Amino acid sequence: YDPGQITRPVLLLHAEWDSDLPIEMAKAYFGKLTGTPYKQWLEIGEGTHSVILEKNRELVFAAVRQFFSCNFKPQTCLEKEC
């Protein structure tokens, strides 16, 4: 599929030590998200592809909660604060 055809807000989380998805690949994908009105990248430190089961999982949970609480209005929704 073409990531550029995604037309909904996107939150892309990547973990620092994720060897299953190299950061270059994740960043390339993020760059191809051209159709979304809002996209957010978050790099989680000291995590692997299973970061949701690891010590920094609370950062993942907080990012997802914040993302879903956004109203996604381009003028009011900032990367860290919606």
Side-chain angles (χ1 to χ4, degrees), residues 12-30 41 43 49:
L12 197 150
L13 301 172
H14 185 264
E16 178 182 14
W17 301 328
D18 189 343
S19 60
D20 294 320
L21 181 62
I23 193 166
E24 296 82 17
M25 187 182 293
K27 285 186 175 183
Y29 183 87
F30 189 75
W41 169 279
E43 184 76 16
H49 198 72

Side-chain angles (χ1 to χ4, degrees), residues 1-2 7 13 25 31 45 50-51 55 60 62 66 69 75 79:
Y1 69 95
D2 177 5
T7 59
L13 301 172
M25 187 182 293
S50 300
V51 68
K55 72 175 186 173
V60 174
Q66 182 273 330
S69 69
Q75 290 77 24
E79 188 167 308

Side-chain angles (χ1 to χ4, degrees), residues 47-62:
T48 69
H49 198 72
S50 300
V51 68
I52 199 161
L53 303 173
E54 299 168 351
K55 72 175 186 173
N56 287 332
R57 65 186 169 273
E58 290 300 325
L59 296 174
V60 174
F61 301 151

